[in-house]
Amino acid sequence: MSSMSQIVKRAYKYRFYPTPEQADLPQNPELEFLREVSNVPLQQTLRQQQVAFNNFFAKRARYPRFKSKRRSRASATSGAER
C-alpha cells in the first residue's frame, strides 16, 4: 500500500525544429514588426507562471492571480525593450 502513495515526477525534453516555411518567416517583410519586440519578457513571464502553478499544486501557495486594475503594482518586465 505504501508504494501507491508515492508521487512520481517525470520530465520530458522536446526539441522542435522549424519547417522550411517557418524558417523563411524572419525574411518576410510583412512580419518585420515582430522583430521590434523582445521575447525575453514573455519567456520570463511564462517561467514565473510555471513556478506559481507548481507552488500552487504543491500546496505551498494560493492560486495564482491575474493582473487587475484594482491590485496593480510595478512590473519588472513592463519597460523591457530590445
Side-chain angles (χ1 to χ4, degrees):
M1 270 302 210
S2 64
S3 64
M4 295 292 288
S5 63
Q6 290 181 352
I7 296 175
V8 177
K9 293 186 179 184
R10 296 181 183 176
Y12 297 96
K13 288 188 178 183
Y14 294 98
R15 177 70 180 165
F16 295 100
Y17 295 98
T19 63
E21 297 85 28
Q22 292 170 333
D24 293 337
L25 282 179
Q27 289 80 21
N28 189 343
E30 294 175 2
L31 302 176
E32 190 64 33
F33 69 95
L34 293 175
R35 295 177 145 224
E36 296 173 8
V37 181
S38 175
N39 62 350
V40 174
L42 298 175
Q43 291 173 350
Q44 286 177 338
T45 303
L46 286 174
R47 271 191 234 107
Q48 292 166 356
Q49 186 180 31
Q50 182 66 38
V51 168
F53 276 104
N54 285 343
N55 288 337
F56 169 72
F57 289 118
K59 303 207 185 284
R60 290 188 296 256
R62 294 181 4 192
Y63 189 80
R65 289 185 263 169
F66 295 100
K67 284 192 171 186
S68 167
K69 288 184 179 182
R70 294 186 190 106
R71 291 181 291 112
S72 64
R73 62 184 178 113
S75 175
T77 58
S78 63
E81 294 180 10
R82 192 180 253 195

